[in-house]
Amino acid sequence: MRDSLVVILMLLGLFFFIVGTLGILRFPDALTRAHGAAKCDTLGAALCLVGLMIYSGFNSASLKLLMVVVFIWITNPTATHAIARGILKSKLNSQGGSESH
């Protein structure tokens, strides 16, 4: 039972990684690519790491994996937001506009 749950979580994580990769390849501009990659990477990594937590049992290693999941949940959206703001600012600067932020 535990092994089948681990396999399901890992396959779901892999599915979201593949969908994110396809989004990077198929979306038309950098902002939509960043959006697709961020959502799928965060969810894919979280599902794979939860699968590893269940596989290793609940011990100190699973606590460390939980800390990694929380770190990814905090940093991945923040980094994607910063990248998207940089893309937007570079587009505005190349068009001759200015942003007051």
Side-chain angles (χ1 to χ4, degrees), residues 2-84:
R2 184 178 82 166
D3 290 339
S4 61
L5 181 62
V6 169
V7 168
I8 289 170
L9 287 171
M10 295 295 253
L11 287 176
L12 280 172
L14 181 63
F15 170 76
F16 282 106
F17 279 129
I18 291 171
V19 169
T21 302
L22 290 176
I24 290 171
L25 296 174
R26 303 244 349 171
F27 282 147
D29 64 340
L31 288 174
T32 55
R33 288 179 187 150
H35 173 75
K39 300 295 181 191
C40 292
D41 285 349
T42 303
L43 186 57
L47 288 171
C48 287
L49 290 173
V50 169
L52 287 174
M53 287 171 53
I54 294 171
Y55 181 73
S56 71
F58 294 105
N59 53 22
S60 64
S62 63
L63 179 63
K64 292 175 187 177
L65 289 171
L66 180 64
M67 290 171 52
V68 171
V69 169
V70 171
F71 181 74
I72 288 173
W73 277 346
I74 292 170
T75 57
N76 199 4
T78 305
T80 303
H81 178 76
I83 291 169

